[in-house]
Amino acid sequence: MRILLVEDDALLGDGLAAGLKLAGWSVDWVRDGEAARLALLDQKYDGCVLDLGLPRRDGVSVLKDLRGRGDATPVLILTARDTRDDKVAGLDAGADDYLTKPFDLLELQARLRALTRRAGGQAAPTLTHADVTLDPAARSVTREGQVVTLSAREYALLHDLLAHKGRIRARAELEESLYAWGEEVESNTVEVYIHHLRKKLGSDFIRTVRGLGYVVGDAA
Amino acid sequence: MKSLRARLLIAVGGATLLVWAVTAALAYLSARHEAAELLDAQLAQSTRLLLQRVAFEDQRQRSDEGEGEDDEEVTDKFEHDRLNPYVQDQTFTVWRLPGHVLLRTDNAPAMGLLARTGYSDLIEAGRTWRVLSRRDATGRYQVQIAQPTQGRDRAALEVAMRIAGPMAIALPLLIGFIYLAVRRGLAPLNALAGEVARRKPDELAPLDADDTPPEASPLVAALNDLLARIAGTLDNERRFTADAAHELRTPLAALKVQAQVAGMANDEATRMHAIGQVLAGADRAAHLVEQLLRLARLDPLRGPVQMHPCGIEDLLLEAVAALAHLAHEKGVTLSIEAPQPPVMVAGDPEMIAVALRNLVENAVRYTPAGGRVQVGADCAQGVRLWVRDDGPGVAANELDRLTERFYRGREVTSEGSGLGLAIVRRIAELHGAGLALANRSTGGFEAALVFPSEISRNP
């Protein structure tokens, strides 16, 4: 799952990027409103953490631009502006959630999980298919009640496929979801991770749709 | 300071009393004078009547009885009529010249024939008398009418009192009216004082100037001016506190997030990086707090700056030395152009140093690597301490906002406190100096502190 982080403060941005990566997201970090607008135009994100007081373009403007295009990417506003009017303005501009600084990293992670889950049209906090259950909060995967140990990339790939259950995910989409900017994408990595997951979860858990990509469950 | 009411009462009441007393005295004197004239005229009329009567009676008697010297002295007593002050005791003696007393009232003073006719005053047996002596046209009879002056004085006093009496009643009435008028006249001032006194500390709306008399309107205007300034200061302080709290949120959030990352990290590199960031964040928060305190200490309400002669060269060197490290890190060349001969300005050397340091720090921060920052001074018009860079400059529409607290340029992503130029401007104001911020025609930016005048090296 890939998140766009928009924060102009170097120290906070650095900490947030690290904190969100620890929670299993791949994070793209931009430091001004204009860069955020371009990134959101360029890339489909699973969520966006947006500061409001930004150089070059205000956060609210970025948000309005995004919603104006009909883009429903979940957006969580993260700002030092804490009056009721600010919150109302932010939510009315199209934000899905609002956190004021200073905040708790664990709370931010949980809210982002909830946002991405709801955006995927899913009600339960865990993702389940067949005998496999993925708990995003605990970052754990079980099969028939037994914990399955996965690497960070394997987990991220499984999370993406379960979150898009029944939809075919192209290799490129999976790569984008797995890798943030500046991270080297090795060729065939997706195939390698799929191979590992099939070994741990059963060979027919992830199906290959020839020429299109991969899918968990029956393709719609 | 006496109350206005007391002053007015004393002044107006005193003047009234004085005028009243003078008027009363004049009235008394003129009444006395008039009474004396009236009584004198009475005397004159009496003498004339007496003379005519005496001459007529004497002639007839003598023609009846011959030229005998048989006249008995006729004494008579006149009854007093006390009801009229002008009715006075009149005593008289009538002579047939050269020396025969024809007629004499028994209460007349013993006095001889006066050689001189007309009015005179006489002291006889401890009493003073007003005397009029007159001869008839033939020169055969002389009448001397004497009146005790005591009675005359009493009559004069009585007349004077009849005039002064109503005035004496008028006086307390007048004083009463003056008191009421003064009270009433000063009522708007009392109302004004009441309105100010009733106010709560945060009620800073201007006073209604329409309701005040023109005499009090300068006071009301001054009060309103003061109220407006207090409101401005309070507003400023409130905003400052809110801004400061707001500005501390981001570094605090960063500290917390980095600390949580350090706690959650499962590899050493991530943890060490996060801990380093926590330390950097603490430094930044400390810097922000220090700048806030500095700005608070530069409060103009705290009183004037202690002025000392400050050597410009030392200040420039100090500022450059303080920022040499940052400039080196950023790859910016920092140079100094000290003025020759050396120049001094009056001011607080520590404050001027802070201001210069902030200006140089801004220049170094916003100049890209490979750029150049110059620091110097010239004395063409006053003393200009300038800091020039060849960085990107500032958008024209942002120039005015640069010295606002916590304002950061739209294009800028910077780690500054947002207070640097606000501090510089405050320091400039406290020194009566100007802060000139402008893009240079050759590209880049110039910030200058402009002191009105230099001071000589040996004052």
Side-chain angles (χ1 to χ4, degrees):
Chain A
M1 305 287 265
R2 190 157 165 178
I3 295 285
L4 180 67
L5 169 64
V6 191
E7 169 59 60
D8 66 324
D9 186 89
L11 209 55
L12 181 57
D14 177 88
L16 279 173
L20 293 176
K21 268 177 201 150
L22 282 175
W25 275 288
S26 42
V27 179
D28 290 342
W29 175 23
V30 293
R31 297 183 62 176
D32 67 67
E34 197 52 34
R37 191 181 70 87
L38 293 174
L40 286 165
L41 268 176
D42 189 49
Q43 177 93 42
K44 174 82 187 115
Y45 286 97
D46 296 295
C48 175
V49 176
L50 183 65
D51 187 12
L52 288 186
L54 291 169
R56 300 181 66 188
R57 180 186 277 269
D58 190 69
V60 171
S61 158
V62 173
L63 186 54
K64 283 183 171 160
D65 190 73
L66 181 74
R67 296 301 184 227
R69 293 201 307 269
D71 191 325
T73 303
V75 173
L76 184 147
I77 286 178
L78 193 59
T79 179
R81 301 179 197 166
D82 68 339
T83 66
R84 189 196 58 199
D85 290 350
D86 286 327
K87 289 178 189 171
V88 168
L91 292 170
D92 281 351
D96 299 279
D97 204 350
Y98 199 105
L99 261 184
T100 51
K101 301 172 185 175
F103 55 91
D104 193 285
L105 183 57
L106 295 174
E107 186 183 347
L108 174 69
Q109 290 172 347
R111 282 172 185 265
L112 268 181
R113 275 197 299 274
L115 282 183
T116 49
R117 190 182 72 223
R118 285 203 296 274
Q122 185 201 338
T126 54
L127 301 163
T128 308
H129 177 65
D131 51 0
V132 174
T133 300
L134 184 144
D135 181 353
R139 276 174 57 74
S140 69
V141 175
T142 53
R143 185 186 182 198
E144 291 174 328
Q146 300 295 308
V147 173
V148 181
T149 310
L150 297 179
S151 76
R153 296 276 190 223
E154 287 164 7
Y155 173 85
L157 187 58
L158 180 61
H159 190 186
D160 183 283
L161 287 169
L162 281 172
H164 300 94
K165 197 163 100 174
R167 271 175 281 167
I168 299 163
R169 298 288 283 162
R171 204 182 82 164
E173 284 177 320
L174 292 173
E175 275 173 356
E176 274 185 2
S177 170
L178 243 52
Y179 295 95
W181 295 334
E183 284 180 317
E184 202 65 41
V185 184
E186 306 119 75
S187 59
N188 292 331
T189 39
V190 171
E191 282 88 341
V192 172
Y193 293 133
I194 294 280
H195 178 68
H196 289 163
L197 285 173
R198 277 176 176 158
K199 272 208 293 194
K200 291 175 181 174
L201 303 173
S203 57
D204 56 351
F205 189 77
I206 301 167
R207 291 193 301 118
T208 305
V209 183
R210 191 165 290 280
L212 292 176
Y214 303 92
V215 65
V216 168
D218 299 321
Chain B
M1 177 113 174
K2 269 187 210 143
S3 83
L4 276 183
R5 190 190 300 177
R7 280 160 175 255
L8 277 173
L9 282 177
I10 287 171
V12 177
T16 309
L17 210 61
L18 187 70
V19 169
W20 182 89
V22 169
T23 312
L26 287 175
Y28 172 72
L29 289 176
S30 67
R32 226 176 99 119
H33 179 73
E34 285 303 317
E37 274 195 345
L38 211 63
L39 292 170
D40 280 354
Q42 215 174 42
L43 288 184
Q45 208 154 11
S46 300
T47 51
R48 198 172 301 124
L49 282 171
L50 257 175
L51 274 175
Q52 280 170 6
R53 179 83 181 152
V54 163
F56 174 73
E57 292 284 339
D58 194 41
Q59 297 288 335
R60 202 187 59 186
Q61 217 166 45
R62 284 218 277 177
S63 55
D64 290 351
E65 303 164 14
E67 288 287 325
E69 298 284 326
D70 53 349
D71 305 343
E72 75 279 35
E73 240 176 62
V74 179
T75 61
D76 202 354
K77 213 171 194 148
F78 284 72
E79 281 303 318
H80 293 178
D81 181 356
R82 282 290 166 217
L83 292 176
N84 190 324
Y86 294 108
V87 176
Q88 292 284 324
D89 292 341
Q90 281 189 353
T91 68
F92 55 84
T93 315
V94 183
W95 280 273
R96 187 166 62 229
L97 293 173
H100 177 72
V101 174
L102 279 181
L103 194 61
R104 186 173 181 275
T105 54
D106 66 346
N107 52 357
M111 58 178 170
L113 185 67
L114 293 169
R116 203 162 52 85
T117 58
Y119 295 101
S120 59
D121 292 307
L122 178 78
I123 298 173
E124 162 64 36
R127 296 180 76 185
T128 53
W129 302 80
R130 179 74 168 164
V131 179
L132 173 61
S133 90
R134 169 170 276 189
R135 263 172 219 188
D136 77 331
T138 61
R140 293 166 63 188
Y141 307 97
Q142 179 161 333
V143 171
Q144 289 180 201
I145 293 188
Q147 207 170 40
T149 51
Q150 203 185 3
R152 291 169 57 97
D153 289 348
R154 205 168 41 239
L157 189 66
E158 205 162 316
V159 172
M161 285 315 282
R162 286 203 187 154
I163 299 171
M167 282 182 68
I169 297 167
L171 182 68
L173 279 176
L174 198 58
I175 298 280
F177 282 129
I178 289 170
Y179 176 77
L180 288 178
V182 167
R183 247 181 85 112
R184 208 181 136 74
L186 293 178
L189 278 185
N190 287 337
L192 193 63
E195 197 192 329
V196 174
R198 272 194 303 278
R199 288 195 169 211
K200 295 191 190 76
D202 58 342
E203 246 180 280
L204 295 171
L207 296 162
D208 189 0
D210 299 337
D211 264 4
T212 52
E215 290 84 353
S217 57
L219 180 68
V220 170
L223 264 178
N224 281 344
D225 186 47
L226 179 67
L227 284 173
R229 272 183 295 148
I230 291 174
T233 309
L234 267 184
D235 193 43
N236 210 19
E237 292 302 311
R238 277 193 201 123
R239 216 162 13 143
F240 181 56
T241 313
D243 286 353
H246 181 92
E247 287 295 320
L248 276 167
R249 283 202 163 131
T250 298
L252 283 179
L255 279 178
K256 183 160 181 175
V257 165
Q258 294 285 3
Q260 282 185 304
V261 167
M264 286 192 256
N266 39 25
D267 67 296
E268 197 58 20
T270 308
R271 184 171 17 256
M272 289 319 289
H273 175 77
I275 289 173
Q277 295 285 62
V278 167
L279 294 177
D283 284 347
R284 232 183 74 201
H287 177 68
L288 178 55
V289 168
E290 193 184 312
Q291 294 277 69
L292 281 171
L293 281 176
R294 184 168 281 150
L295 198 54
R297 274 198 292 267
L298 291 172
D299 192 330
L301 299 177
R302 285 185 176 234
V305 179
Q306 297 292 315
M307 295 287 192
H308 303 284
C310 308
I312 292 303
E313 201 176 351
D314 294 343
L315 291 172
L316 296 179
L317 278 171
E318 199 185 313
V320 167
L323 274 304
H325 182 69
L326 181 68
H328 180 73
E329 258 182 9
K330 280 208 62 180
V332 171
T333 314
L334 193 53
S335 65
I336 185 164
E337 274 178 37
Q340 285 302 330
V343 179
M344 301 194 95
V345 291
D348 180 320
E350 213 169 304
M351 282 194 204
I352 300 178
V354 166
L356 271 178
R357 240 183 355 249
N358 280 344
L359 291 180
V360 177
E361 187 177 337
N362 276 348
V364 171
R365 253 184 222 290
Y366 297 123
T367 301
R372 189 175 154 77
V373 172
Q374 291 169 283
V375 184
D378 61 60
C379 317
Q381 280 176 323
V383 179
R384 266 173 79 86
L385 308 185
W386 47 257
V387 178
R388 292 173 190 151
D389 65 54
D390 55 3
V394 174
N397 57 357
E398 291 188 46
L399 275 177
D400 290 341
R401 299 195 59 194
L402 286 181
T403 58
E404 279 177 27
R405 289 185 301 219
F406 303 118
Y407 181 79
R408 296 183 185 90
R410 258 174 63 76
E411 301 288 331
V412 171
T413 307
S414 166
E415 306 305 304
S417 65
L419 291 171
L421 281 177
I423 290 174
V424 176
R425 187 184 62 176
R426 187 70 72 76
I427 290 174
E429 283 168 0
L430 286 172
H431 283 80
L435 173 61
L437 301 171
N439 289 310
R440 297 166 67 196
S441 53
T442 54
F445 193 72
E446 181 187 278
L449 280 171
V450 188
F451 289 83
S453 65
E454 65 172 294
I455 55 173
S456 61
R457 178 121 267 215
N458 300 305

